[in-house]
Amino acid sequence: MDRTELARRILERLDEITGRSESVPEERLEETVFRRLDQAGKIVSAIQKYLPKRVTDKILANPEGVKVEGERRQVTVLFGDMSGFTSMSETMDPEQVVEVINKYFDTMVDIAERYGGHIDKFMGDALMVLFGAPVAHEDDPLRACLAAIEMLEAMDRFSVELKMDLAMSIGLNTGEVVALNVGSKGRMEYSVIGDGVNLAARLEKVATARQCVIGENTYRQVKGKIKLKKLKPVMVKGKS
């Protein structure tokens, strides 16, 4: 097979994958193939910023096989929220708001990923992190707790560095959730849903500044491994 025929076959395969057809004269075949491959590489790099590697690998291996299907998993969900910044941001320049919020997220993402967490989403100045999906570890509850402790410590240093009265509150819960690719035909994202997720979010609302509140399931799996303090019973919405 000569170079021209090889280039034509590669271009045909790219057309099949992307659903795009491009009529190219023979003298421009190789140039077009290199351009399309470069574009494909940039697209893959962009996708990998939004989806975990395990998910992107699955999509690349079988693009036609991507489905909105779920699987039940045992996951520890972390919700973290920065307090004090929303009201403060109203008096700041937009550029300064962007600088602070991005530096905050850079720090928290680095901590979460070092403990094997997956960033599910950012919500204003809050974030949601998964430990156990899409990749599971035997000690995911402990990993989540250690990440939370380090996040609180990093937030205190961050506040001193910026000379701002900022703090963080965290809620953690371990439970069964449904992990799935969810969305529309035009846009999908990997996430988890279920009561375990809702409880983690509600525990974050219970937590005060510089505090991490964990659910009973998480407590049972980490007791004796980290220092814990028992809190008074609290009622959270949807739980009796």
Coordinates of all heavy atoms in Angstrom, one line a residue, residues 62-102:
N62 N -14.3 2.7 22.1 CA -15.6 2.3 21.4 C -16.5 3.5 21.4 O -17.5 3.6 22.2 CB -16.3 1.1 22.1 CG -17.5 0.7 21.4 OD1 -17.7 1.0 20.2 ND2 -18.4 0.0 22.1
P63 N -16.3 4.5 20.5 CA -17.1 5.7 20.4 C -18.6 5.4 20.2 O -19.4 6.1 20.7 CB -16.5 6.5 19.3 CG -15.1 5.9 19.1 CD -15.2 4.5 19.5
E64 N -18.9 4.4 19.4 CA -20.3 4.1 19.1 C -21.0 3.4 20.3 O -22.2 3.4 20.3 CB -20.3 3.1 17.9 CG -19.8 3.7 16.6 CD -18.3 3.5 16.5 OE1 -17.7 3.0 17.4 OE2 -17.7 4.0 15.4
G65 N -20.2 3.0 21.3 CA -20.8 2.2 22.4 C -21.1 3.0 23.6 O -21.5 2.5 24.6
V66 N -21.0 4.4 23.5 CA -21.3 5.2 24.7 C -22.8 5.2 24.9 O -23.5 5.6 24.1 CB -20.7 6.6 24.5 CG1 -21.1 7.5 25.7 CG2 -19.2 6.6 24.2
K67 N -23.2 4.8 26.1 CA -24.6 4.8 26.4 C -24.9 5.5 27.8 O -24.0 5.6 28.6 CB -25.1 3.3 26.5 CG -24.9 2.5 25.2 CD -25.4 1.1 25.4 CE -25.2 0.3 24.2 NZ -25.5 -1.1 24.4
V68 N -26.1 5.9 28.0 CA -26.5 6.4 29.3 C -26.9 5.2 30.1 O -28.1 4.8 30.2 CB -27.7 7.4 29.1 CG1 -28.0 8.0 30.4 CG2 -27.3 8.5 28.1
E69 N -25.9 4.6 30.7 CA -26.2 3.4 31.5 C -25.6 3.6 32.9 O -24.6 4.3 33.0 CB -25.7 2.1 30.9 CG -24.2 2.2 30.6 CD -23.7 1.0 29.8 OE1 -24.6 0.2 29.3 OE2 -22.5 0.8 29.7
G70 N -26.2 3.0 33.9 CA -25.6 3.2 35.3 C -25.1 1.9 35.9 O -25.4 0.8 35.4
E71 N -24.3 2.1 36.9 CA -23.9 1.0 37.7 C -23.9 1.4 39.2 O -23.6 2.5 39.5 CB -22.5 0.6 37.3 CG -21.4 1.6 37.4 CD -20.0 1.1 37.1 OE1 -19.8 -0.1 37.2 OE2 -19.1 2.0 36.8
R72 N -24.3 0.5 40.0 CA -24.3 0.7 41.5 C -22.9 0.6 42.0 O -22.2 -0.4 41.8 CB -25.3 -0.2 42.2 CG -26.7 0.0 41.8 CD -27.7 -0.6 42.7 NE -29.1 -0.4 42.2 CZ -29.7 0.7 42.6 NH1 -29.2 1.6 43.3 NH2 -31.0 0.9 42.1
R73 N -22.5 1.6 42.8 CA -21.2 1.6 43.4 C -21.2 2.1 44.8 O -22.1 2.9 45.2 CB -20.2 2.5 42.6 CG -20.0 2.1 41.2 CD -19.0 3.0 40.5 NE -17.7 2.8 41.0 CZ -16.8 2.1 40.3 NH1 -17.1 1.6 39.1 NH2 -15.6 1.9 40.8
Q74 N -20.3 1.6 45.7 CA -20.1 2.1 47.0 C -19.1 3.3 46.9 O -18.0 3.1 46.6 CB -19.6 1.0 47.9 CG -19.7 1.4 49.4 CD -21.1 1.2 50.0 OE1 -22.0 0.8 49.3 NE2 -21.3 1.7 51.2
V75 N -19.6 4.5 47.2 CA -18.8 5.7 47.0 C -18.9 6.6 48.3 O -19.9 6.7 48.9 CB -19.4 6.5 45.8 CG1 -18.7 7.8 45.7 CG2 -19.2 5.7 44.5
T76 N -17.8 7.2 48.5 CA -17.7 8.3 49.6 C -17.8 9.6 48.9 O -16.9 9.9 48.0 CB -16.5 8.2 50.5 OG1 -16.5 6.9 51.1 CG2 -16.5 9.3 51.5
V77 N -18.8 10.4 49.2 CA -19.0 11.7 48.5 C -18.6 12.8 49.4 O -18.9 12.8 50.6 CB -20.4 11.9 48.1 CG1 -20.6 13.2 47.4 CG2 -20.9 10.7 47.2
L78 N -17.8 13.8 48.9 CA -17.3 14.9 49.7 C -17.9 16.2 49.1 O -17.8 16.4 47.9 CB -15.8 15.0 49.7 CG -15.1 16.1 50.4 CD1 -13.7 15.7 50.8 CD2 -15.0 17.4 49.6
F79 N -18.6 17.0 49.9 CA -19.0 18.3 49.5 C -18.2 19.3 50.3 O -18.2 19.2 51.6 CB -20.5 18.5 49.8 CG -21.4 18.0 48.7 CD1 -21.9 16.7 48.7 CD2 -21.7 18.8 47.6 CE1 -22.7 16.2 47.7 CE2 -22.5 18.3 46.6 CZ -23.0 17.0 46.6
G80 N -17.6 20.3 49.6 CA -16.8 21.3 50.3 C -17.3 22.7 49.9 O -17.5 22.9 48.7
D81 N -17.4 23.6 50.8 CA -17.9 24.9 50.5 C -17.0 26.0 51.2 O -16.7 25.9 52.3 CB -19.4 25.1 50.9 CG -20.0 26.4 50.3 OD1 -19.4 26.9 49.4 OD2 -21.1 26.7 50.8
M82 N -16.6 27.0 50.4 CA -15.9 28.1 51.0 C -16.8 29.2 51.5 O -17.6 29.7 50.8 CB -14.9 28.7 49.9 CG -14.1 29.9 50.4 SD -12.7 30.3 49.4 CE -13.5 30.6 47.8
S83 N -16.7 29.5 52.8 CA -17.6 30.4 53.4 C -16.9 31.8 53.5 O -15.7 31.9 53.7 CB -18.0 30.0 54.8 OG -16.9 29.8 55.7
G84 N -17.7 32.8 53.4 CA -17.2 34.2 53.5 C -16.8 34.8 52.2 O -16.6 36.1 52.1
F85 N -16.7 34.0 51.1 CA -16.2 34.6 49.9 C -17.2 35.3 49.0 O -17.0 36.3 48.4 CB -15.5 33.5 49.1 CG -14.8 34.1 47.8 CD1 -13.7 34.9 47.9 CD2 -15.3 33.7 46.6 CE1 -13.1 35.4 46.7 CE2 -14.7 34.2 45.4 CZ -13.6 35.1 45.5
T86 N -18.5 34.7 49.1 CA -19.5 35.3 48.2 C -19.8 36.8 48.5 O -19.8 37.6 47.6 CB -20.8 34.5 48.4 OG1 -20.6 33.1 48.0 CG2 -21.9 35.0 47.5
S87 N -20.0 37.1 49.8 CA -20.2 38.5 50.1 C -19.0 39.3 49.9 O -19.1 40.5 49.4 CB -20.7 38.6 51.6 OG -19.7 38.0 52.4
M88 N -17.8 38.8 50.1 CA -16.6 39.5 49.9 C -16.3 39.8 48.4 O -15.8 40.9 48.1 CB -15.4 38.7 50.5 CG -14.1 39.5 50.7 SD -12.9 38.4 51.5 CE -13.7 38.0 53.0
S89 N -16.8 38.9 47.6 CA -16.5 39.0 46.1 C -17.3 40.2 45.5 O -16.9 40.7 44.5 CB -16.9 37.8 45.4 OG -18.3 37.5 45.5
E90 N -18.4 40.6 46.2 CA -19.2 41.7 45.7 C -18.4 43.1 45.7 O -18.8 44.0 45.0 CB -20.5 41.9 46.5 CG -21.4 40.6 46.4 CD -22.6 40.7 47.3 OE1 -22.7 41.7 48.1 OE2 -23.4 39.8 47.3
T91 N -17.4 43.2 46.5 CA -16.6 44.4 46.6 C -15.2 44.3 45.9 O -14.4 45.2 45.9 CB -16.3 44.8 48.1 OG1 -15.6 43.7 48.7 CG2 -17.6 45.0 48.8
M92 N -15.0 43.1 45.2 CA -13.7 42.9 44.5 C -13.9 43.1 43.0 O -15.0 42.9 42.5 CB -13.3 41.4 44.8 CG -13.0 41.1 46.3 SD -12.9 39.4 46.7 CE -11.5 38.9 45.6
D93 N -12.7 43.3 42.4 CA -12.7 43.4 40.9 C -12.9 42.0 40.4 O -12.5 41.0 41.0 CB -11.4 43.9 40.4 CG -11.1 45.4 40.8 OD1 -12.1 46.1 41.0 OD2 -10.0 45.8 41.0
P94 N -13.6 41.9 39.2 CA -13.8 40.6 38.6 C -12.5 39.8 38.4 O -12.5 38.6 38.7 CB -14.5 40.9 37.3 CG -15.1 42.2 37.5 CD -14.2 43.0 38.4
E95 N -11.5 40.5 38.0 CA -10.2 39.8 37.8 C -9.7 39.2 39.1 O -9.1 38.1 39.1 CB -9.1 40.7 37.2 CG -9.4 41.3 35.9 CD -10.5 42.4 35.9 OE1 -10.8 42.9 37.0 OE2 -10.9 42.8 34.8
Q96 N -9.9 39.9 40.2 CA -9.4 39.4 41.5 C -10.3 38.2 42.0 O -9.7 37.2 42.5 CB -9.5 40.5 42.6 CG -8.8 40.1 43.9 CD -8.8 41.2 44.9 OE1 -9.5 42.2 44.7 NE2 -8.1 41.0 46.0
V97 N -11.6 38.2 41.7 CA -12.5 37.1 42.0 C -12.0 35.9 41.3 O -11.9 34.8 41.9 CB -13.9 37.5 41.6 CG1 -14.8 36.2 41.8 CG2 -14.4 38.6 42.5
V98 N -11.7 36.0 40.0 CA -11.3 34.8 39.2 C -10.0 34.3 39.7 O -9.8 33.1 39.9 CB -11.1 35.3 37.7 CG1 -10.5 34.1 36.9 CG2 -12.5 35.6 37.1
E99 N -9.0 35.2 40.1 CA -7.7 34.7 40.6 C -7.9 34.0 41.9 O -7.3 32.9 42.0 CB -6.8 36.0 40.8 CG -5.4 35.6 41.3 CD -4.6 36.8 41.5 OE1 -5.0 37.9 41.2 OE2 -3.4 36.6 42.0
V100 N -8.7 34.5 42.8 CA -8.8 33.8 44.1 C -9.5 32.5 44.0 O -9.1 31.5 44.5 CB -9.6 34.7 45.1 CG1 -10.0 34.0 46.3 CG2 -8.8 36.0 45.4
I101 N -10.7 32.4 43.2 CA -11.4 31.2 43.1 C -10.7 30.1 42.4 O -10.7 28.9 42.8 CB -12.8 31.5 42.4 CG1 -13.8 30.4 42.8 CG2 -12.7 31.6 40.9 CD1 -14.4 30.5 44.2
N102 N -9.9 30.5 41.4 CA -9.1 29.5 40.6 C -8.0 29.0 41.5 O -7.7 27.8 41.4 CB -8.6 30.1 39.3 CG -9.7 30.2 38.3 OD1 -10.8 29.6 38.4 ND2 -9.5 30.9 37.2

